[in-house]
């Protein structure tokens, strides 16, 4: 089989005027991988998860993290084999059929749009902490224009922004872990809000045990836990603009277990060792409590700076991820052709403009919809996220079958424990969707999700024509194994 090199492929695309610039290096993607696990789901969603499951939430994050790791390994194998910007949308189209690609791509765009609206609103609330006299819409408009302009410049600018945003978040988390561990080990705590309860590992079992709300509490926490991991699949989208995808994608994907253990399990373990689990979140942010416990009076301001950084990073990634998937959809004939046009810097500028327009609509919606709507938004985003993950796994299964059936070269970054791990992971994702329907506060996500899928089916039948009805054609970048001559 003849394989087209990455350089040859880029030359062909550039000649067609539709090339994305490969400006993301190892440093950019490595920190994007680190930062993608730190956001609203950790800083605020974690308190909700703890209230549902108690200390057992640590087990929920470990199980959820293991499932996400298998999704990322499946995506990583496909991304190294086919490093295209449309990523899992194009993989679904190639291996499951054009309708699967259409649904997967647009569902991810839907997810990013919902999350981005929530993120820009959160940013305006955070800025209101320091500038209460300034109307929130001013901050929202300012950040949309700023990040939109940055994303229009070049993908390298996006990479640099994500590098510094992620660096700040990672340093903050590590500082929280070290500070919290110091409180537990040395006991020099000045502001314990845990009702006079001394910090220590005993707090993990002294307030109702590891499972204070039973197995049902553990299941309920999965809806929040999986929301926290949402967006991690953006790493796969970077393959189309990575300078060396065969090197940087595996490195980024393989850090997922470390991120789960460090950012979630270790951080929340320290938190629940300092404060009884049922007090966490009841007296403001638990992370403010850590800094306050160390006798740092500026704790609220430090945390506010960190969560602002997290919000900026999230919005930046939302614009990038949705834009690149839209670019892939346009190439397949599943979105208007204008979304496939790129600027002279190799940026799909129409997709960036569209995301900016969606966020502006979000500003208006936020002014007329009660704040409680964001509980609904989180559960809807969880449904969309899990759906995309299931489609990634299904595409991977189909790809592996085709590799075996056609005797194609083995993948350079194969998924471990195949096929058992993939089967178990898909069963777990199905369980998460069932959980959304079982609990009343998240059930609306299934209604919205089902409606969304029906609308996509109608749109596909009405508007997709010509090339959009064919499977995506992807170049296989897998290097053939060298032939060893036996003398």
């Amino acid at each position: 089989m003849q394989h087209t090199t990455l350089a040859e492929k880029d030359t062909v695309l550039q000649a067609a005027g539709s090339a994305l610039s490969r400006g993301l290096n190892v440093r950019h993607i490595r920190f994007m991988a680190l930062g993608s696990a730190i956001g609203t789901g950790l800083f605020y969603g974690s308190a909700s998860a703890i209230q549902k499951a108690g200390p057992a939430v640590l087990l929920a994050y470990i199980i959820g993290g293991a499932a996400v790791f298998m999704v990322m390994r499946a995506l990583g194998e496909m991304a190294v084999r086919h490093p295209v910007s449309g990523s899992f949308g194009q993989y679904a189209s190639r291996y499951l059929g054009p309708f699967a690609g259409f649904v997967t791509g647009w569902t991810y765009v839907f997810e990013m749009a919902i999350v981005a609206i929530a993120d820009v609103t959160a940013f305006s609330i955070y800025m209101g902490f320091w500038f209460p006299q300034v109307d929130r819409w001013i901050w929202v408009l300012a950040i949309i224009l700023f990040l939109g302009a940055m994303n229009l410049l070049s993908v390298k600018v996006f990479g640099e922004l994500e590098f510094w945003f992620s660096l700040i978040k990672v340093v903050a988390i590590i500082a929280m872990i070290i500070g919290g561990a110091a409180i537990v080990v040395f006991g020099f705590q000045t502001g314990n809000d845990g009702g006079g309860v001394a910090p220590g590992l005993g707090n993990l079992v002294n307030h109702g045990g590891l499972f204070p709300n039973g197995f049902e509490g553990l299941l309920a926490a999965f809806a929040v836990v999986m929301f926290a991991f949402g967006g991690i699949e953006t790493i796969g989208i970077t393959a189309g603009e990575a300078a060396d995808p065969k090197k940087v994608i595996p490195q980024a994907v393989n850090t997922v277990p470390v991120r789960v253990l460090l950012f979630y399990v270790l951080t929340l373990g320290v938190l629940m060792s300092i404060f009884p689990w049922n007090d966490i979140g009841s007296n403001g942010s638990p992370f403010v409590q850590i800094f306050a416990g160390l006798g740092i009076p500026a704790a609220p301001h430090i945390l506010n700076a960190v969560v602002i950084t997290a919000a900026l990073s999230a919005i930046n990634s939302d614009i990038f991820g949705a834009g690149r998937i839209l670019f892939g959809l346009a190439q397949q004939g599943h979105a208007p052709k204008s979304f496939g046009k790129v600027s002279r810097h190799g940026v799909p500028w129409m997709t960036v403009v569209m995301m900016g327009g969606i966020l502006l609509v979000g500003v208006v919606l936020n002014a007329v919809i009660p704040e409680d709507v964001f509980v609904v938004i989180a559960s809807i985003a969880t449904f969309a996220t899990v759906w995309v993950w299931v489609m990634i796994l299904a595409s991977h299964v189909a790809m592996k079958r085709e590799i075996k059936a056609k005797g194609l070269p083995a993948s350079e970054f194969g998924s471990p424990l195949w096929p058992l791990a993939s089967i178990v992971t898909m069963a777990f994702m199905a369980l998460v969707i069932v959980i959304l329907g079982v609990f009343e506060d998240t059930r609306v996500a299934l209604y919205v999700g089902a409606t969304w899928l029906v609308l996509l089916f109608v749109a596909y039948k009405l508007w997709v024509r010509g090339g959009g009805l064919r499977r995506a054609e992807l170049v296989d970048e897998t290097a053939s194994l060298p032939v060893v001559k036996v003398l």
Side-chain angles (χ1 to χ4, degrees), residues 1 91 106 116 118 142 153 161 236 253 285 291 314 318 328 334 354 363 387 389 483:
M1 178 181 291
Y91 304 148
W106 278 106
L153 292 178
L161 283 174
V253 169
S285 169
F291 284 124
D318 295 341
H334 292 166
M354 193 201 80
V363 176
W387 178 270
W389 289 345
V483 176

Side-chain angles (χ1 to χ4, degrees), residues 100-122:
F102 179 84
V103 171
T104 302
W106 278 106
T107 299
Y108 178 78
V109 173
F110 176 64
E111 172 198 346
M112 289 296 98
I114 291 174
V115 173
I117 290 172
D119 287 334
V120 294
T121 303

Side-chain angles (χ1 to χ4, degrees), residues 2 5 9 13 18 74 136 270 288 470 478:
Q2 183 178 2
T5 67
K9 179 184 174 186
L13 286 174
S18 59
R136 288 180 181 175
V270 168
V288 169
R470 294 192 294 269
T478 304

Side-chain angles (χ1 to χ4, degrees), residues 37-96:
I38 310 174
T40 306
L42 174 61
F43 288 115
Y44 291 103
S46 58
S48 174
I50 290 172
Q51 290 303 312
K52 291 178 182 295
V57 74
L58 300 179
L59 180 60
Y61 277 108
I62 291 174
I63 295 173
V68 170
F69 175 63
M70 293 312 305
V71 172
M72 292 304 296
R73 282 300 299 257
L75 178 57
E77 181 174 348
M78 292 188 290
V80 170
R81 200 172 193 97
H82 307 294
V84 294
S85 188
S87 192
F88 39 82
Q90 295 212 43
Y91 304 148
S93 177
R94 167 65 178 80
Y95 292 106
L96 300 177

Side-chain angles (χ1 to χ4, degrees), residues 302-326:
I302 294 174
L303 181 72
N304 202 54
V306 173
V307 295
I308 283 175
T309 302
L312 290 172
S313 175
I315 299 165
N316 200 35
S317 293
D318 295 341
I319 294 173
F320 173 86
R324 270 46 178 188
I325 288 292
L326 278 170

